[in-house]
Amino acid sequence: SVPGTKVELTVSCRNLLDMDTFSKSDPVVVLFVQVSGSSEWKEFGRTEVIDNTLNPDFVRKFVLDYYFEEKQNLRFDVVSQHFFGAQDFLGQAFVALGEVIGSQRGRLERPLTGVPGKRCGTILLLAEELSNCRDIVTMQLCANKLDKKDFFGKSDPFLVFYRSNEDGTFTICHKTEVVKNTLNPVWQPFTIPVRALCNGDYDRTVKIDVYDWDRDGSHDFIGEFATSYRELSRAQSQFTVYEVLNPRKKCKKKKYVNSGTVTLLSFSVESEFTFVDYIRGGTQLNFTVAIDFTASNGLPSQPTSLHYASPYQLSAYALALKAVGEIIQDYDSDKLFPAYGFGAKVPPDGKISHQFPLNNNVENPSCAGIEGVLESYLQSLRTVQLYGPTNFAPVINQVAGTAAQVTDGSQYHVLLIITDGVISDMLQTKEAIVTASSLPMSIIIVGVGPAEFEAMEELDGDEVRLSSRGRYAERDIVQFVPFRDYVDDSGNQVLSMARLAKDVLAEIPEQLLSYMKTRDIKPRRADP
C-alpha cells in the first residue's frame, strides 16, 4: 500500500470489571505492537485515564502506519490506574490491524479476556484513515485589460500561485504557461492537489502574482491578488472576478484603479480514493486457492518431494498457502475459501482434472478458513494420483467466471496458484489472463522448487505488458514470486514467510484501485 497510509484507532470499552471497592474502575488502555516476525511486544502508547467509569470512550487516539501486505498484530491491555501508581489488570484483546479495517465500516468489537473466571466486558475499535486531503482541483483562468509592459507589442502574461505557510511566508506552488502578446490572455486549465494549494486548510491565503514574461528572465511584475481555496471553490456556481493591483502604482497615482482583472472561469474537485476507502465501503476480497498436483513435484511420500510434509515441517506448498492466506483472510468476511487442485488423476475413475475441489465437494468447494484449506490439501494428497500436464487456464477461467458475475466493485477476487512452475498450456493461460485483466481479480503465483521460472516472469507482466493473439492485458493482474528466494538459511521461518506475504500482496491494493478507476467505481460511503 502507499507508504504513509496512516490509520487512526479510536478506543472504547463496555462493561469493564469493577475492581474498586468505593468507586468504579479508572481505566486506561495500553497498546502494544508486535515486532514483525518475532514474538516480542513493544508498548506503542496509551490512552488517557478516565476516572470512575466502566464504559469509557477514550479521547486520545492511536495513529498507526498501515500496510495491507503485512500482518500487524496489536494487543490492547486494559488496566485500572490508582493514584499511587499501582494498577489492576482488567483484561486484554489481541487483534490484527487488518481485521479492524476489514470489518464492517471499520468497526470491531472484541471480548476482553485474561481474568480467570470473570467476564471482562468488551473493547470497541474504530479505524479511520487520516485524510491527508486527497482532493485534486482543476481550474481555468483568464485576464482582461492587463497593463501593457512591453515597448513593442503588448504583454506576455503568466500567473504564479503561492500558498501561505503557518509562519506567514509564501511557497510557490504553480506557474501557468505564458500567453504571448495579449492583454486579455486565456490560460489552459490545470490541475493541482489541494494539499499543494493550501495544505488542506481551506481558509488559508492563496496569493497570485501576474507577470509579463521577458526572454532574459527579468519578468515584469504587473500586479497581484489574494484568495483562498474556499473562495476559489465558490466559482463552481459563478464566475469570480479579481482586481489585479500593483501596490507601487497605487501609492504613486491618485487616479489608479487597477492593472486589469483576472476571472476564474471554472473550478472542479475530484477525490483520489485509496484501498482503505473501498474496503471500508464494503468491498469484499474473495480468496481462491489452486495447488499443483502434477507428477513433477515428486511422490508426496518421498522426502525429496515438494509436497512432502514431515512431522516437524510443513511442505513448501503449505507454508506459502499459510503465509499469504493468513493475511488475506482478515479481509474476507465469510472466511470461506474455494480450493482446487490441478494436474492429478482423481478417484473414483482416475480422470485427469485441472480444477478438482480439494474437499471433494463439487457443489461447494469452499473450505472454512486457511486451516480448512490445509486440511483438505493434505487429505487430497492421500487420495489422488499426481499426474500432468500442468494447465493453469481452467482454474483461471473458473475464477474469472465468478468475477464476471459481479463487476460493480463490491467483490474482488484473488487467486493464489502454487506451482512447481513447468507450465504446459502457456498459450491458453495467456489468453485467460488477458481476458481476466478486465475483471475485478488478481492472480498471485508462488513458484516452489528449483525450476527456472521464465514462463512465470512473462505472465507477471511487470517488464512487458502481457498479450495474447494481438490483445494486450488491460491491467497488470499477475504477481509472481519464487518461494526459494524466501527460505533463509537461518531457518527463521516466521520472518521469511512474512517477507513472502509482503512481496506477494504488495501489488494487490494498486491492482484493485486500477480496476475501480478504469470503471469509474467510487467507494460506497460507509454510514456514519
Side-chain angles (χ1 to χ4, degrees), residues 229-306:
Y229 174 86
R230 198 178 297 283
E231 200 173 286
L232 289 166
S233 67
R234 292 201 185 105
Q236 288 166 318
S237 45
Q238 81 249 13
F239 289 154
T240 312
V241 180
Y242 296 96
E243 280 196 286
V244 176
L245 299 176
N246 185 331
R248 294 234 303 282
K249 276 193 172 180
K250 205 175 175 177
C251 295
K252 275 192 191 154
K253 294 186 180 167
K254 288 264 187 308
K255 287 188 186 148
Y256 176 76
V257 182
N258 60 37
S259 297
T261 59
V262 166
T263 304
L264 180 57
L265 295 174
S266 67
F267 180 99
S268 61
V269 190
E270 274 195 349
S271 276
E272 278 281 23
F273 296 115
T274 67
F275 177 71
V276 176
D277 291 330
Y278 287 98
I279 298 296
R280 282 200 51 163
T283 296
Q284 283 298 319
L285 295 191
N286 299 289
F287 186 47
T288 303
V289 181
I291 291 178
D292 183 335
F293 280 81
T294 54
S296 50
N297 285 285
L299 276 174
S301 54
Q302 301 296 317
T304 50
S305 167
L306 297 170

Side-chain angles (χ1 to χ4, degrees), residues 19 25-26 62 91 133 148-149 157 193 196 202 225 244-245 285 306 315 335 352 388 413 423 447 449 467 472 482 502:
M19 291 300 220
S25 297
D26 303 331
F62 298 117
C133 195
K148 174 175 178 314
K149 287 287 185 186
Y202 292 177
F225 62 96
V244 176
L245 299 176
L285 295 191
L306 297 170
S315 71
K335 311 268 187 279
I352 294 171
H413 294 264
I423 184 169
S467 65
Y472 279 85
K502 192 176 148 102

Side-chain angles (χ1 to χ4, degrees), residues 97-276:
L97 183 54
E99 286 181 271
V100 190
I101 289 170
S103 43
Q104 235 181 336
R105 302 207 292 274
R107 289 168 193 280
L108 184 68
E109 185 167 3
R110 272 288 164 84
L112 290 163
T113 58
V115 182
K118 292 252 165 72
R119 282 195 142 136
C120 303
T122 62
I123 187 165
L124 288 98
L125 303 169
L126 170 68
E128 290 186 275
E129 184 171 18
L130 284 184
S131 149
N132 41 9
C133 195
R134 300 182 301 268
D135 292 349
I136 291 179
V137 169
T138 305
M139 58 177 134
Q140 182 173 25
L141 300 102
C142 70
N144 290 88
K145 300 188 178 160
L146 293 175
D147 286 354
K148 174 175 178 314
K149 287 287 185 186
D150 288 356
F151 197 61
F152 306 106
K154 302 177 176 125
S155 296
D156 306 318
F158 68 95
L159 301 176
V160 183
F161 285 70
Y162 303 87
R163 71 157 181 267
S164 59
N165 303 318
E166 300 285 347
D167 58 5
T169 57
F170 285 93
T171 304
I172 183 165
C173 59
H174 183 73
K175 254 188 197 148
T176 66
E177 79 282 13
V178 178
V179 183
K180 289 287 181 69
N181 200 23
T182 174
L183 301 179
N184 303 299
V186 179
W187 288 281
Q188 293 291 323
F190 67 91
T191 53
I192 182 169
V194 171
R195 268 203 307 255
L197 197 58
C198 65
N199 212 353
D201 176 351
Y202 292 177
D203 297 304
R204 197 176 281 198
T205 305
V206 175
K207 189 167 82 87
I208 299 158
D209 288 351
V210 188
Y211 281 98
D212 165 41
W213 178 84
D214 280 328
R215 176 166 281 112
D216 65 6
S218 62
H219 311 308
D220 299 317
F221 177 69
I222 295 176
E224 64 185 11
F225 62 96
T227 179
S228 67
Y229 174 86
R230 198 178 297 283
E231 200 173 286
L232 289 166
S233 67
R234 292 201 185 105
Q236 288 166 318
S237 45
Q238 81 249 13
F239 289 154
T240 312
V241 180
Y242 296 96
E243 280 196 286
V244 176
L245 299 176
N246 185 331
R248 294 234 303 282
K249 276 193 172 180
K250 205 175 175 177
C251 295
K252 275 192 191 154
K253 294 186 180 167
K254 288 264 187 308
K255 287 188 186 148
Y256 176 76
V257 182
N258 60 37
S259 297
T261 59
V262 166
T263 304
L264 180 57
L265 295 174
S266 67
F267 180 99
S268 61
V269 190
E270 274 195 349
S271 276
E272 278 281 23
F273 296 115
T274 67
F275 177 71
V276 176

Side-chain angles (χ1 to χ4, degrees), residues 482-502:
F483 185 82
R484 58 168 173 253
D485 291 2
Y486 298 89
V487 184
D488 61 5
D489 307 328
S490 74
N492 181 347
Q493 223 167 39
V494 180
L495 200 57
S496 45
M497 287 307 100
R499 278 188 17 247
L500 171 80
K502 192 176 148 102

